[in-house]
Amino acid sequence: MASTIRCEVVSAEKEIYSGAVQMVIAPGVWGELGIAPNHAPLLTQLMPGPVRLMLKGDREDVFYVSGGMMEVQPRIVTILADTALRADDMDEAAAEKAKAEAIQALTNQRSDIDYAAATLHLAEAVAQLRTLQKIRKSKMLN
């Protein structure tokens, strides 16, 4: 039997996931991180994107996080995110619309545009769409 590590994914609103996993794969600021049981302690910032939880029986559960922090201890991984969504809670049409609106705002040359906010909205929309693509891909493989 493969060893497991406890994982908790928490958003500002509620706990999204709590349970045993074989591995956590998360979008760190320096690249994708793979966390297995007995990993060395770590505290890192997360980028917007998919968090993949590798479960028993070659199953995978994928979540979208808008960024946040991940704390790793030898027996537990805690992900704290402003926003964390299960696949069923994601709206692809809304993400496509948000992406288009952010691109429009960034290409608009008006002086009253908040470029930092538009860039953040674009990054979050693209990360949500990337997460949905990963979910579709994993379902096709299973």
Side-chain angles (χ1 to χ4, degrees), residues 42-111:
L42 170 73
L43 180 63
T44 189
Q45 185 178 354
L46 297 177
M47 297 296 292
V51 171
R52 297 171 30 216
L53 305 180
M54 311 308 287
L55 307 172
K56 291 181 182 178
D58 293 326
R59 295 184 351 227
E60 182 178 80
D61 208 350
V62 183
F63 301 88
Y64 164 78
V65 295
S66 63
M69 298 298 292
M70 179 171 66
E71 179 188 22
V72 178
Q73 295 295 324
R75 292 185 181 90
I76 187 167
V77 175
T78 305
I79 295 174
L80 303 171
D82 290 333
T83 303
L85 300 171
R86 290 183 168 278
D88 297 340
D89 297 334
M90 295 179 69
D91 183 350
E92 185 171 11
E96 287 285 359
K97 181 179 178 189
K99 177 183 172 184
E101 289 173 354
I103 289 171
Q104 177 66 29
L106 289 170
T107 56
N108 190 339
Q109 297 298 316
R110 294 187 353 225
S111 63

Side-chain angles (χ1 to χ4, degrees), residues 3-47:
S3 64
T4 61
I5 188 168
R6 181 165 183 76
C7 180
E8 295 181 354
V9 180
V10 181
S11 75
E13 297 87 30
K14 62 183 177 178
E15 182 177 82
I16 305 296
Y17 180 89
S18 180
V21 300
Q22 293 180 333
M23 179 171 262
V24 176
I25 302 169
V29 292
W30 298 108
E32 202 168 55
L33 296 161
I35 307 298
N38 299 314
H39 192 285
L42 170 73
L43 180 63
T44 189
Q45 185 178 354
L46 297 177
M47 297 296 292

